Amino acid sequence: MKYARVDVDGRAHWARATAPDTLELLSASPLESPAPSVTGELPVTGARWLPPVIPPVFYAVGFNYPRHIAEHGAATPARPEIGYRANNALTGHGSPIVKPADVTGRFEAEPELVAVIGRRMRHASYDEARAGVFGWTIGNDVSARTWQHEDRTFWRAKNSDTFKPMGPWIETAVDALAQTTTLSVNGEIRARFPTGDMVFDPYDYIVAMSRRLTLHPGDVLWMGAESTCRLAPGDTVAVEISGIGVLSNPVQEEAPQEGQQP
Amino acid sequence: MKYARVDVDGRAHWARATAPDTLELLSASPLESPAPSVTGELPVTGARWLPPVIPPVFYAVGFNYPRHIAEHGAATPARPEIGYRANNALTGHGSPIVKPADVTGRFEAEPELVAVIGRRMRHASYDEARAGVFGWTIGNDVSARTWQHEDRTFWRAKNSDTFKPMGPWIETAVDALAQTTTLSVNGEIRARFPTGDMVFDPYDYIVAMSRRLTLHPGDVLWMGAESTCRLAPGDTVAVEISGIGVLSNPVQEEAPQEGQQP
């Protein structure tokens, strides 16, 4: 099943895609209610997609694909060590990625598989971790490299508004580690890699994390990228993961602010 | 006014302290509703305090007090650069800080002033930042130093469950930068410093952050500490900020987990 969140008349609604062209609106979050009722229908065309979940905690893996690590001359992580992103940066499928006017240097896409947590987990076993993932979505970990290298934290390099597109929906029925991730810009393929070619898989992370912390329904775990590519205003960037869907976003230049230096 | 969240029969309720011994339960969050109605009363004695807000984004300043920076031989930050903590780690006034059984080395308290954001802000001026703070609470940025130095991120050093006590309430009527922070363990004072002796104040941070990101009602901004002190199981640690209140938590040793190596 594909679960999404859409904006209807300025309000967020949970929905599910039961046919290719129709979304059924739901009475409640499928993460909180096992059998939400259907309250209406919406055509897929023209839907305003929201991030499919607003996580209590937004977890993100750094280096996790061997080819990516080798290209950067980085050390292969010896243990699953998690990082964070920030909810303010989330945006939905189809919404613009806004490139700040004063970003210089490489402005890049990172196509990522995202696990959505479905159960409260502490001290989870590997099998409990597998059972505790509700479903899978797609993330684009947009990054301004000059800021990433200049700053002590990732606050503006990776967490400026609109830098974290996620969606279009959560797919609950897919073998997520046996899929192919494809990154395209303006319809041209820039990268393609197997989702499962990871140093540590999502369940390894959940086992390690849950020794120290409680995972909650709706938490998300972004799994890192093997390849990246540059973005420029006017581009449309698409991240496709087979069996899940396509997350596509136009790139826009930020409008100048009143009174702000150029 | 003092606004709190308390657990009543397993459910979170907003409340306000209008008399020293009584809490009024509220129909809605004062962050969302300008005039919530009173739905009941509760004696302050025996109240089960929850973190006074669960933030959409949990922001935290690192080095921000000149004496703390000097003691660490660190460079004074040239600009307000924000970091993050994670909601799983939050706990309320009176609840235990659980020291993991395998933490070695210094396990420490960091007493912090916390700004609670009240308005949506983007491109805020200094005056807009001042008007955009709803109120103030107290945080204890509990840290396991060995993990802090070993790890690439702060995930377990600062974000293990129970490592982020916050509370007891949000005080909306206080000149928060003209107060005194006092850190005590088992009733013995370990540190005392003026809240306002910061490199960059909360409004400087909000101005800088909101150039890149949208702040939302309920976001919290922890402002850093001047001094720290060690904690051990059996201790009770108290952070007092004059004009706001006292955040007090017992420290416990984690119970061993089945099948986990000692």
Side-chain angles (χ1 to χ4, degrees), chain A residues 201-221:
Chain A
D201 74 23
Y203 316 119
D204 295 325
Y205 269 91
I206 291 169
V207 168
M209 292 160 67
S210 74
R211 274 196 72 185
R212 307 302 178 189
L213 57 89
T214 305
L215 286 154
H216 294 269
D219 282 348
V220 297
L221 178 56

Side-chain angles (χ1 to χ4, degrees), chain A residues 237-251:
Chain A
V237 56
V239 181
E240 176 169 8
I241 299 183
S242 56
I244 302 179
V246 180
L247 169 67
S248 173
N249 300 85
V251 182

Side-chain angles (χ1 to χ4, degrees), chain A residues 81 102 152 161 212 214, chain B residues 81 102 152-153 161 212 214:
Chain A
E81 206 176 324
D102 55 346
R152 195 180 53 82
D161 279 355
R212 307 302 178 189
T214 305
Chain B
E81 205 176 324
D102 56 345
R152 195 179 53 80
T153 74
D161 280 354
R212 307 302 178 190
T214 305

Side-chain angles (χ1 to χ4, degrees), chain A residues 156-242:
Chain A
R156 56 178 182 163
K158 287 180 172 275
N159 295 303
S160 290
D161 279 355
T162 78
F163 278 25
K164 293 292 152 290
M166 181 166 70
W169 45 53
I170 303 165
E171 174 59 76
T172 59
V174 60
D175 181 358
L177 300 182
Q179 304 300 322
T180 300
T181 302
T182 305
L183 173 63
S184 306
V185 176
N186 305 327
E188 191 179 294
I189 294 176
R190 297 295 180 87
R192 176 167 277 172
F193 59 91
T195 52
D197 192 13
M198 297 171 177
V199 177
F200 295 108
D201 74 23
Y203 316 119
D204 295 325
Y205 269 91
I206 291 169
V207 168
M209 292 160 67
S210 74
R211 274 196 72 185
R212 307 302 178 189
L213 57 89
T214 305
L215 286 154
H216 294 269
D219 282 348
V220 297
L221 178 56
W222 289 38
M223 291 307 305
E226 184 184 276
S227 300
T228 65
C229 79
R230 295 201 189 199
L231 300 175
D235 287 344
T236 294
V237 56
V239 181
E240 176 169 8
I241 299 183
S242 56

Side-chain angles (χ1 to χ4, degrees), chain A residues 49-60:
Chain A
W49 304 92
L50 300 172
V53 66
I54 303 295
V57 183
F58 184 164
Y59 296 102

Side-chain angles (χ1 to χ4, degrees), chain A residues 9-209:
Chain A
D9 299 331
R11 282 192 52 203
H13 289 259
W14 278 93
R16 66 183 174 206
T18 41
D21 54 352
T22 308
L23 289 171
E24 291 179 343
L25 300 179
L26 300 177
S27 59
S29 162
L31 285 158
E32 288 162 12
S33 169
S37 55
V38 175
T39 60
E41 277 192 2
L42 199 73
V44 165
T45 311
R48 295 184 56 197
W49 304 92
L50 300 172
V53 66
I54 303 295
V57 183
F58 184 164
Y59 296 102
V61 177
F63 285 119
N64 199 30
Y65 284 85
R67 212 182 76 185
H68 188 213
I69 295 167
E71 279 175 7
H72 282 75
T76 299
R79 50 201 163 86
E81 206 176 324
I82 200 67
Y84 302 94
R85 302 289 182 270
N87 285 352
N88 69 280
L90 287 169
T91 194
H93 170 60
S95 291
I97 297 162
V98 179
K99 179 178 180 283
D102 55 346
V103 158
T104 57
R106 287 182 294 136
F107 184 67
E108 296 194 320
E110 296 188 6
E112 306 202 5
L113 175 67
V114 177
V116 180
I117 303 301
R119 297 185 189 170
R120 196 174 180 284
M121 285 185 274
R122 185 79 207 271
H123 296 295
S125 67
Y126 193 87
D127 283 348
E128 287 165 346
R130 285 178 65 98
V133 172
F134 175 76
W136 305 87
T137 187
I138 303 168
N140 187 347
D141 190 11
V142 173
S143 305
R145 301 297 179 199
T146 304
W147 288 347
Q148 189 172 340
H149 299 141
E150 269 178 23
D151 295 350
R152 195 180 53 82
T153 74
F154 289 167
W155 78 280
R156 56 178 182 163
K158 287 180 172 275
N159 295 303
S160 290
D161 279 355
T162 78
F163 278 25
K164 293 292 152 290
M166 181 166 70
W169 45 53
I170 303 165
E171 174 59 76
T172 59
V174 60
D175 181 358
L177 300 182
Q179 304 300 322
T180 300
T181 302
T182 305
L183 173 63
S184 306
V185 176
N186 305 327
E188 191 179 294
I189 294 176
R190 297 295 180 87
R192 176 167 277 172
F193 59 91
T195 52
D197 192 13
M198 297 171 177
V199 177
F200 295 108
D201 74 23
Y203 316 119
D204 295 325
Y205 269 91
I206 291 169
V207 168
M209 292 160 67

